[in-house]
Amino acid sequence: SLQDKNALHLYSVNGKYLGSETLKEEVSDLCVSGEYIVMGSLQGFLSIRDLYSLSLSISPLAMRLPIHCISVTKEYSHILVGLEDGKLIIVGVGKPAEV
């Protein structure tokens, strides 16, 4: 974050710059899960981005409170979101019939 400008930068394992994406929110936590980046922001948005293109996979989900931590279950079936007020939100991953 540099004077209200936030960006996500992507590098290869060899240190080659692959790309970047400017972000509107301030990232509080993120995790890489398979081919996706799951991010939480202080503005209360949960975002899922493609690992290689950095583009949004779905529109951000509003949690209404700042997100403090993110975790994905080992089966990739749920995203666990810890909020500022201590609540734990569990978000199902997949199509509605699968969740």
Side-chain angles (χ1 to χ4, degrees), residues 17-34:
Y17 176 77
L18 299 175
S20 65
E21 184 72 29
T22 303
L23 304 174
K24 295 177 183 171
E25 303 97 28
E26 187 176 347
V27 176
S28 56
D29 194 22
L30 67 83
C31 68
V32 176
S33 178

Side-chain angles (χ1 to χ4, degrees), residues 8 10 29-39 46-58 70-72 76-77 79 93-94:
L8 185 63
L10 181 65
D29 194 22
L30 67 83
C31 68
V32 176
S33 178
E35 295 184 2
Y36 297 96
I37 301 170
V38 182
M39 299 187 324
L46 176 67
S47 305
I48 300 173
R49 293 181 174 269
D50 181 81
L51 179 60
Y52 304 106
S53 68
L54 300 180
S55 62
L56 284 170
S57 295
I58 62 165
I70 298 281
S71 183
V72 178
Y76 306 114
S77 60
I79 300 171
V93 178

